[in-house]
Amino acid sequence: MTLPQPIPLEEAQQRLLAGVEPLPGETLPVSDALGRYLAEPLVALRQQPASNLSAMDGYAMRADDLAGPWTVVGESAAGHPFGAPLEHGQAIRISTGALMPENGGAILLQEEAERQGNGLALAPNGEATPRHIRRAGFDFRQGAELFRAGIRIGPAQLALAISGGHANIPVSRLPRVAVLDSGDELSADPRDCAIHQIPASNGAMIAAMAAPFACAIDRIGPVADNMAALSAALAEADHADVLVTSGGASVGDHDLVRPALEAWGADIHFWRVAMKPGKPLLVARRGRQFVLGLPGNPVSSFVTAYLFLLPLLRKLAGAADPVPAPFRLWLAGDLPPTGSRLEFVRGFTDGETIGAVSEQDSSALAALSRANALIRREVNSPPAHAGEMVTAYLLQNGGIA
């Protein structure tokens, strides 16, 4: 069999995502939309603050009456405004977040005030100033766009949507995912694993990576390396928006995933990517379904899931920017030169520097578990030395910054 030439990473990602449209939208209560992507822009239905507020504890007075002394005639507390305009020579006690009086124009901080009874005066070096007023609409105005479509709703975005007057928001539906493990060497029970077997861990790992971006995940397998077993397993995935297979996508005599997918009716879009680890990646379509065939080595499976599966799921879920964003970090130790493929070195970063973890074999799960980043090494790069800047991708939370 003549093997196709591996294609570059960015070309492969573009080809995967080019035909992907977000799944149909639905409207959810804001409190249920955490982690979801907006299906359309969200506009403020009110302004924040609705009126001028005090940013500090102190006293409020008119803007044309800053020298004092004043008589304290009332109080404005958060949720309990002072309901009358101020006359010349009057002030009110005011709390942080409280509504300014109708014609209030300045705040005197409590630590800059001298008060005796209802009498109020400036302390030495005290100043009544408008600087401590939160002006109406300074955060956002009614009609302003709070978010563009495709933004992921996190805790802060959830709070802003509510503050903008929304009880419900439109989000894209999450995809349904099926994860299929294949390989005669896999044992479903890690407690009962012969010496010629390994525990079937890839499916659990891939399902965990996909979980934040899926409405449901169905585990299939482990499945034996024969066409009958694979055909029966693939039939279980008819309902999935995305099918992910792990193992059997390479070119060995027992690598049957590709012919099984073709017999199932899948159209192979491309196969083999010029990257290390993860070259045997396969991408296919079957009608509306997307199919990713990941390599069986666990590190290869993890890296290709990070760079292909998660962007696919994010885009189906409505993400505007589905591909993980790189960072630049200082290298903590030397790295060897690279070869003819783009390499992703498993690394650990403290937020400022990054270094490679001790073992880079594509089967090394212990080393992968200690990594929290991938270091990107371009094709035919010379050795890199400590103190140089390198490009890296964070792995926490599936690469969501």
Side-chain angles (χ1 to χ4, degrees):
M1 179 178 64
T2 302
L3 297 179
Q5 197 68 18
I7 63 176
L9 170 69
E10 280 74 17
E11 179 185 341
Q13 288 176 321
Q14 289 167 5
R15 287 174 64 175
L16 169 66
L17 298 176
V20 180
E21 294 293 334
L23 295 171
E26 58 183 344
T27 299
L28 293 181
V30 175
S31 58
D32 294 337
L34 186 67
R36 303 291 288 271
Y37 292 92
L38 277 177
E40 57 190 61
L42 199 68
V43 172
L45 303 179
R46 57 180 298 277
Q47 71 174 9
Q48 179 79 1
S51 188
N52 293 344
L53 305 177
S54 176
M56 305 290 285
D57 291 336
Y59 298 88
M61 60 282 300
R62 294 162 54 123
D64 60 356
D65 188 17
L66 304 182
W70 306 271
T71 300
V72 178
V73 295
E75 180 179 9
S76 181
H80 301 279
F82 179 76
L86 292 175
E87 302 293 336
H88 187 80
Q90 292 182 336
I92 60 166
R93 185 80 169 95
I94 197 164
S95 304
T96 301
L99 194 69
M100 288 290 291
E102 178 183 332
N103 59 343
I107 300 289
L108 173 64
L109 300 182
Q110 62 182 16
E111 57 267 31
E112 297 182 5
E114 291 184 346
R115 181 173 175 179
Q116 291 188 345
N118 289 331
L120 178 70
L122 295 172
N125 301 317
E127 180 186 21
T129 171
R131 291 196 305 271
H132 305 304
I133 298 174
R134 293 175 181 157
R135 299 293 178 182
F138 95 89
D139 195 359
F140 54 84
R141 296 281 184 180
Q142 183 175 351
E145 183 176 285
L146 299 176
F147 306 113
R148 62 188 174 113
I151 290 297
R152 194 170 193 230
I153 300 298
Q157 291 75 25
L158 182 149
L160 178 56
I162 294 172
S163 294
H166 292 274
N168 304 285
I169 57 175
V171 296
S172 296
R173 182 172 69 82
L174 294 177
R176 189 177 187 110
V177 179
V179 180
L180 188 157
D181 266 326
S182 68
D184 288 342
E185 75 280 13
L186 300 180
S187 170
D189 187 349
R191 301 164 298 179
D192 183 18
C193 193
I195 60 171
H196 62 280
Q197 294 181 305
I198 58 173
S201 61
N202 278 8
M205 176 180 71
I206 294 165
M209 295 175 75
F213 313 105
C215 67
I217 299 177
D218 298 317
R219 296 280 308 280
I220 305 171
V223 181
D225 284 322
N226 65 72
M227 288 294 288
L230 283 168
S231 296
L234 289 172
E236 298 181 40
D238 281 342
H239 58 280
D241 298 297
V242 177
L243 166 64
V244 191
T245 68
S246 175
S250 193
V251 294
D253 293 341
H254 301 285
D255 290 317
L256 302 177
V257 166
R258 184 178 57 83
L261 288 172
E262 290 175 327
W264 185 51
D267 177 26
I268 308 300
H269 281 202
F270 61 88
W271 174 40
R272 305 178 83 229
V273 178
M275 57 183 285
K276 179 183 179 181
K279 184 169 71 172
L281 177 79
L282 178 149
V283 172
R285 288 286 297 269
R286 181 178 180 263
R288 63 173 183 81
Q289 294 176 294
F290 294 86
V291 182
L292 290 182
L294 308 185
N297 275 321
V299 176
S300 302
S301 194
F302 181 95
V303 172
T304 50
Y306 176 80
L307 293 170
F308 289 91
L309 173 61
L310 297 191
L312 172 61
L313 296 181
R314 291 187 194 111
K315 190 163 184 183
L316 286 170
D321 303 303
V323 178
F327 293 79
R328 297 284 286 173
L329 295 168
W330 300 105
L331 192 58
D334 295 346
L335 293 176
T338 66
S340 60
R341 285 186 284 162
L342 177 69
E343 293 188 17
F344 288 93
V345 177
R346 279 70 71 200
F348 182 84
T349 177
D350 59 7
E352 295 183 3
T353 64
I354 188 169
V357 297
S358 58
E359 181 55 69
Q360 293 295 316
D361 188 89
S362 60
S363 68
L365 274 173
L368 178 64
S369 73
R370 294 192 294 272
N372 63 3
L374 296 175
I375 304 170
R376 179 176 173 136
R377 300 279 285 139
E378 301 298 331
V379 173
N380 296 322
S381 292
H385 302 290
E388 294 182 17
M389 292 288 286
V390 292
T391 298
Y393 299 84
L394 298 181
L395 297 178
Q396 299 97 323
N397 300 319
I400 300 293

